[in-house]
Amino acid sequence: SQTIHQWPATLVQPVGSPLSLECTVEGTSNPNLYWYRQAAGRGLQLLFYSVGIGQISSEVPQNLSASRPQDRQFILSSKKLLLSDSGFYLCAWSVKSGANVLTFGAGSRLTVL
Amino acid sequence: AQRVTQPEKLLSVFKGAPVELKCNYSYSGSPELFWYVQYSRQRLQLLLRHISRESIKGFTADLNKGETSFHLKKPFAQEEDSAMYYCALSGLSGGYNKLIFGAGTRLAVHP
């Protein structure tokens, strides 16, 4: 069966520090991968999605970047965190043919101080 | 542009009462609509999709293209239905299908 892992689950970082959130999927190949940010009252905002290795599309301009170095690995990064980067980040995957049905990870809560 | 609107942040009902979670969308093409749910301390997960036309946990949702709505309904709410509910729209954008979510509605079912 397919599983999706995100880590770390919780992270507290100072302003200006770098960020790396990782997401891996097991039990499937060539998935679509997504990063969402979940904010109270604002729902789920799509940040990045990827249809293949090295293929990243950004939905909103921001202080974050994403990379897909391997087929089932998706990384969310920042060189210098801002206070506004605090939030709950969700990774998700879908199969190519069912790109509308997403399976979500448990999420990573980032607090920038 | 694709947009999903859930006008209610919180819906509070008593057990056994009917529930309707509202969702309106904006999309120029033929949309595919979904409801996702997040129970306390659980992952966000798919509840139902309009093309399946099925009832899941007693919930149903009908796509009304005339009113551009996809409201989620259940005739008799249960305490275990308390959760965060997100309406989502899938449509082509930039050559890819993308899933756009609404702001979510928290359903609280009281005993």
Side-chain angles (χ1 to χ4, degrees):
Chain A
S1 64
Q2 302 90 0
T3 56
I4 177 168
H5 303 281
Q6 272 187 254
W7 72 93
T10 306
L11 192 61
V12 180
Q13 291 285 98
V15 169
S17 64
L19 171 73
S20 180
L21 298 179
E22 296 197 31
C23 173
T24 59
V25 181
E26 297 177 357
T28 188
S29 60
N30 196 28
N32 288 344
L33 296 172
Y34 309 83
W35 278 110
Y36 282 87
R37 179 162 51 202
Q38 187 177 29
R42 296 182 60 185
L44 287 159
Q45 182 184 32
L46 178 60
L47 302 177
F48 300 96
Y49 67 94
S50 172
V51 298
I53 296 174
Q55 301 178 61
I56 308 295
S57 294
S58 174
E59 284 298 295
V60 292
Q62 57 202 316
N63 185 43
L64 302 169
S65 62
S67 62
R68 185 170 177 173
Q70 300 181 40
D71 180 46
R72 291 170 290 177
Q73 184 184 26
F74 205 24
I75 298 171
L76 185 68
S77 304
S78 174
K79 292 182 179 179
K80 289 185 178 182
L81 283 168
L82 305 172
L83 288 174
S84 57
D85 291 325
S86 293
F88 192 61
Y89 292 86
L90 286 169
C91 181
W93 76 274
S94 71
V95 298
K96 288 283 188 294
S97 58
N100 307 320
V101 179
L102 270 57
T103 300
F104 285 87
S108 297
R109 182 162 301 282
L110 170 66
T111 303
V112 183
L113 301 175
Chain B
Q2 300 173 31
R3 182 174 295 174
V4 177
T5 303
Q6 292 179 252
E8 303 144 326
K9 290 186 179 180
L10 172 66
L11 184 62
S12 187
V13 302
F14 287 103
K15 177 182 174 181
V19 169
E20 182 179 54
L21 299 168
K22 291 184 168 49
C23 173
N24 289 90
Y25 67 90
S26 174
Y27 183 60
S28 58
S30 183
E32 190 171 356
L33 277 298
F34 304 79
W35 278 98
Y36 279 75
V37 61
Q38 188 169 28
Y39 300 102
S40 178
R41 288 184 288 277
Q42 293 189 29
R43 300 185 183 196
L44 186 63
Q45 59 188 286
L46 177 68
L47 179 63
L48 54 80
R49 52 195 303 189
H50 91 269
I51 61 172
S52 299
R53 302 187 65 83
E54 57 192 345
S55 174
I56 303 293
K57 298 184 178 182
F59 284 98
T60 59
D62 292 319
L63 178 60
N64 186 323
K65 291 187 178 181
E67 296 182 358
T68 60
S69 69
F70 188 57
H71 303 326
L72 183 68
K73 300 177 183 179
K74 184 169 183 176
F76 307 103
Q78 303 299 314
E79 289 181 68
E80 55 265 30
D81 295 328
S82 296
M84 193 75 180
Y85 291 81
Y86 292 94
C87 183
L89 161 72
S90 175
L92 273 176
S93 177
Y96 300 104
N97 263 331
K98 299 177 189 175
L99 202 59
I100 305 298
F101 287 83
T105 298
R106 181 166 297 283
L107 174 64
V109 181
H110 303 287

